[in-house]
Amino acid sequence: MSLFLVKKSGPLLGEVDISGAKNAVLPILCACLLTDEKCVINGVPPLSDVFILIEILKKAGANVSYDEILERIEIKASDVGGDVSNEHEAVKMRASFLVMGPLLARNGSAKLPLPGGCRIGNRPIDLHLKGFEILGAKIKQEHGTAEAKCPKLLGGYIYLDFPSVGATENIIMAASLSEGETVIENAAVEPEVIDLVNFLNQMGASVFCVGNGTIKVTGVKKLHGAVYTVIPDRIEAGTFMAAAAITGGDITLKNAVYEHIKPAAAKLAECGMAVEETENGIHVYPVGKRKAFNIKTMPFPGFPTDMQAIFMSVMTISKGTSIVTETVFENRFLQADELKRMGADIKTEGRVAVVEGVRKLTGAKVNAPDLRAGAALIVSALAAEGQTEIGEIQHIDRGYSHIDEKLRRLGAHIKRIEEEKEGKK
Ligand code: EPZ
């Protein structure tokens, strides 16, 4: 098992380049299936989730080439087959379900493994399937697969019970090649959803966010190829902001978008850090001691659930009592037990956690329970006395590229210990 060894690190100092956003890259790569022309996507970081999705796109019939150094992907889906149900990789990564909308729209049918739930919640897909049905698809769920069939999708009116990011993205992609107008009410409007909309419109789609969570799509007959650069990753930016806060550091996040991290900036201001927009990114620096603050996760523009665990790490050493309310997922405090092994004082009850700031954390052997909880352990380990050993870091590699190198460049004491490959003696 690969590990991160992290030692208490002084204030982080310097500049860090923020990579392309994982949660924009994944739907945008799926959208490339909507055309038989070549698409070129820039700003695609070498994440394990990207490699998994590339395999699924190839199984669907696309020709994919990825230049990891340039972080550029070229995709040409001359013709696509709708059945990727035997692609076991698809079960490993929920976002692979985002190929359903494009395959249904392009091919008239799509069959995928039902995406696994994961440890943060059971992650249903009822809103995705409801949207496809309203567009005219016949849905069948059996033997752990979901199948949607419709020779010609027709626009419709869809109200989402929850502003689901994935359901919004899947429905927009299906509707973009349907006949007529689709209106999605109570849609997700996260920056990553807007990035997908911008890419689709570059391809010749007609998708408009008309405000207060309403998105209108006028279907077109065909979409063409496009060249596109993905937005920077606001969750990676938030992760480095938290690392600066917990070490009292002074860093600049290059090419991060201030508009996308306003909730995080507001919370850091409450806990004694300044966050300022500069011409090439965002400057984060201390203006006092870390003080307790509260977080309530909400769909955008509320505080993002993906930053909850990372900011809880900052709370563990912030003076006073902090309260976290997680409204998006039902089980997203998996970092709490691991942080308590490092001396944090956290009590959780359902969707609420109460964090008492402690004088210091101490290094311990911990394991990353999931992607963002794993990132939270790195953040806390930077402030913990002694050394912390973080296992199960494959979860972290899903959503962060070169995180140890980026942190080392800021002065962090972190190194990756690769597991012995099987048979290498
Ligand atoms: C996306 O997941 C992100 N993943 C998640 O990031 C993020 O936490 C989440 O949006 C919320 O912002 C990608 O974009 C690849 P949802 P998604 O559908 O689309 C319920 C990370 O760490 N729901 O907005 O799966 C669901 O149970 C990951 O990068 C239904 O009830 O999230 C949850 O409670 C983790 N029915 C809520 O909506 C449905 O059909 C939010 O889920 C779909 C969702």
Side-chain angles (χ1 to χ4, degrees):
M1 171 177 79
S2 301
L3 302 167
F4 280 139
L5 295 184
V6 186
K7 288 188 178 145
K8 184 176 173 67
S9 303
L12 298 187
L13 300 171
E15 286 191 344
V16 59
D17 284 310
I18 299 302
S19 299
K22 166 178 88 82
N23 292 347
V25 161
L26 298 176
I28 285 171
L29 293 183
C30 295
C32 296
L33 294 176
L34 288 164
T35 177
D36 57 2
E37 296 181 13
K38 185 168 87 168
C39 294
V40 179
I41 313 298
N42 294 302
V44 180
L47 306 171
S48 52
D49 272 11
V50 168
F51 292 109
I52 291 175
L53 184 58
I54 287 172
E55 288 315 303
I56 292 161
L57 295 174
K58 285 178 176 173
K59 278 281 184 326
N63 197 324
V64 185
S65 65
Y66 180 32
D67 183 327
E68 281 182 56
I69 309 299
L70 295 177
E71 299 197 340
R72 172 180 301 153
I73 280 197
E74 295 190 2
I75 297 184
K76 193 170 187 306
S78 307
D79 46 59
V80 289
D83 186 343
V84 285
S85 59
N86 61 357
E87 182 43 49
H88 70 281
E89 292 287 327
V91 180
K92 276 164 78 173
M93 183 186 68
R94 176 180 172 76
S96 48
F97 201 67
L98 293 173
V99 300
M100 188 142 210
L103 290 182
L104 175 61
R106 178 87 191 278
N107 191 46
S109 77
K111 188 175 179 184
L112 280 95
L114 286 168
C118 63
R119 299 188 61 192
I120 64 175
N122 68 16
R123 316 292 292 275
I125 52 165
D126 56 309
L127 298 177
H128 299 240
L129 300 181
K130 169 180 150 184
F132 295 144
E133 279 182 320
I134 291 171
L135 297 179
K138 291 278 169 286
I139 303 291
K140 197 163 71 175
Q141 290 188 62
E142 58 183 12
H143 310 304
T145 66
E147 184 173 23
K149 281 190 171 175
C150 181
K152 186 68 205 148
L153 294 170
L154 297 176
Y157 177 88
I158 297 157
Y159 173 82
L160 291 178
D161 300 357
F162 184 90
S164 156
V165 169
T168 302
E169 292 168 340
N170 237 336
I171 294 164
I172 287 174
M173 290 190 279
S176 57
L177 278 184
S178 66
E179 212 163 279
E181 174 128 343
T182 295
V183 174
I184 309 170
E185 297 284 8
N186 198 29
V189 288
E190 269 68 2
E192 295 78 21
V193 177
I194 306 305
D195 212 27
L196 170 68
V197 168
N198 292 336
F199 174 61
L200 287 168
N201 288 338
Q202 288 270 80
M203 296 171 78
S206 173
V207 187
F208 296 100
C209 304
V210 296
N212 59 36
T214 302
I215 294 179
K216 283 188 177 166
V217 185
T218 305
V220 295
K221 280 207 177 328
K222 193 176 178 320
L223 294 173
H224 53 71
V227 179
Y228 196 75
T229 299
V230 168
I231 53 169
D233 194 320
R234 62 189 169 113
I235 312 300
E236 184 189 32
T239 306
F240 282 100
M241 290 164 76
I246 206 167
T247 60
D250 180 329
I251 67 172
T252 295
L253 310 166
K254 281 174 69 184
N255 63 49
V257 175
Y258 187 81
E259 194 58 33
H260 295 168
I261 54 90
K262 277 168 63 175
K267 289 298 155 185
L268 286 187
E270 290 177 32
C271 93
M273 294 293 286
V275 181
E276 287 166 2
E277 193 171 11
T278 64
E279 74 284 352
N280 70 336
I282 295 167
H283 183 202
V284 182
Y285 59 92
V287 287
K289 290 256 175 262
R290 289 305 74 72
K291 298 187 302 268
F293 58 102
N294 298 333
I295 277 176
K296 181 172 187 177
T297 67
M298 294 292 279
F300 193 84
F303 189 91
T305 174
D306 292 349
M307 288 195 206
Q308 177 260 109
I310 299 150
F311 274 65
M312 183 184 281
S313 291
V314 180
M315 292 171 172
T316 63
I317 50 92
S318 297
K319 190 169 168 37
T321 305
S322 302
I323 296 175
V324 180
T325 310
E326 171 55 63
T327 72
V328 177
F329 288 108
E330 57 265 38
N331 187 34
R332 202 168 195 179
F333 291 140
L334 297 172
Q335 69 281 2
D337 285 347
E338 300 302 301
L339 291 172
K340 286 192 274 192
R341 294 165 61 79
M342 300 170 72
D345 178 350
I346 303 171
K347 293 178 188 62
T348 63
E349 181 69 40
R351 291 182 179 235
V352 177
V354 178
V355 185
E356 289 298 339
V358 294
R359 209 172 42 75
K360 69 173 181 158
L361 296 174
T362 54
K365 283 183 191 277
V366 292
N367 284 315
D370 65 62
L371 165 56
R372 305 302 176 186
L377 296 179
I378 294 178
V379 169
S380 54
L382 295 172
E385 298 290 329
Q387 174 170 287
T388 300
E389 187 179 297
I390 304 173
E392 303 294 335
I393 62 172
Q394 69 279 6
H395 293 295
I396 301 171
D397 291 335
R398 289 189 48 208
Y400 295 91
S401 61
H402 314 303
I403 189 165
D404 47 326
E405 290 162 36
K406 291 182 176 180
L407 283 167
R408 272 198 298 278
R409 271 203 288 278
L410 296 172
H413 302 299
I414 176 171
K415 67 179 177 186
R416 176 189 285 264
I417 309 291
E418 288 297 354
E419 67 179 326
E420 279 297 299
K421 289 276 174 280
E422 289 304 306
K424 195 201 278 182
K425 290 284 174 271

